[in-house]
Amino acid sequence: MAYCVLVHGPCRGNLCDFWARVRMRKETVDSIAQDILQYINSHDGRGETSIQDLLSDYWKKFGIRSRSLLYVEEPGLCEKMSEIEQQTLSQLT
C-alpha cells in the first residue's frame, strides 16, 4: 500500500478528498450554504432531480468522495456538512 505524505498515512487513490476537507475547514457554513443554494437554483426546473440528489451531487463536485469514510475519520466535518444542509434546506422553504 502506498504512503501519502499529505495525510501521513495510506494513500486512498480515487477516494482521496484531502483538499476538499481542507476547503471545508476553511470556509464558513454560510458561504458553503450560499454556494449550494446557487447550485440548486442553477439546476431548478431541469428534470425531476430531488433536492437530496442535488445535495449529493454538490458534495461530489466539492470533492467529498466518501461521506461514510469522512464520518469515521472526521465526524466534525460531517456535522458541519449536516449543519450546512439544514441551513440550505431551511432557506429553500
Side-chain angles (χ1 to χ4, degrees), residues 2 6 13 28 30 33 39 42 45 50 58 60 63 66 71-72 80 90:
L6 292 175
T28 65
D30 291 336
Y39 181 78
S42 72
S50 72
Y58 174 83
K60 287 177 189 169
S66 172
Y71 182 75
V72 170
K80 187 173 183 178
S90 70

Side-chain angles (χ1 to χ4, degrees), residues 14-79:
N14 290 336
L15 291 178
C16 181
D17 57 3
F18 175 80
W19 294 112
R21 294 179 188 203
V22 169
R23 180 178 169 202
M24 191 179 307
R25 280 187 210 100
K26 288 183 176 184
E27 290 194 35
T28 65
V29 169
D30 291 336
S31 68
I32 298 175
Q34 287 302 314
D35 196 31
I36 292 175
L37 282 173
Q38 289 176 350
Y39 181 78
I40 290 172
N41 289 333
S42 72
H43 288 82
D44 194 28
R46 294 184 188 175
E48 297 296 320
T49 308
S50 72
I51 296 297
Q52 291 302 323
D53 288 341
L54 287 172
L55 286 172
S56 293
D57 191 43
Y58 174 83
W59 289 122
K60 287 177 189 169
K61 290 181 189 291
F62 189 88
I64 301 299
R65 305 287 182 235
S66 172
R67 196 167 182 163
S68 59
L69 185 60
L70 181 68
Y71 182 75
V72 170
E73 294 177 350
E74 295 195 49
L77 286 182
C78 273
E79 289 175 19

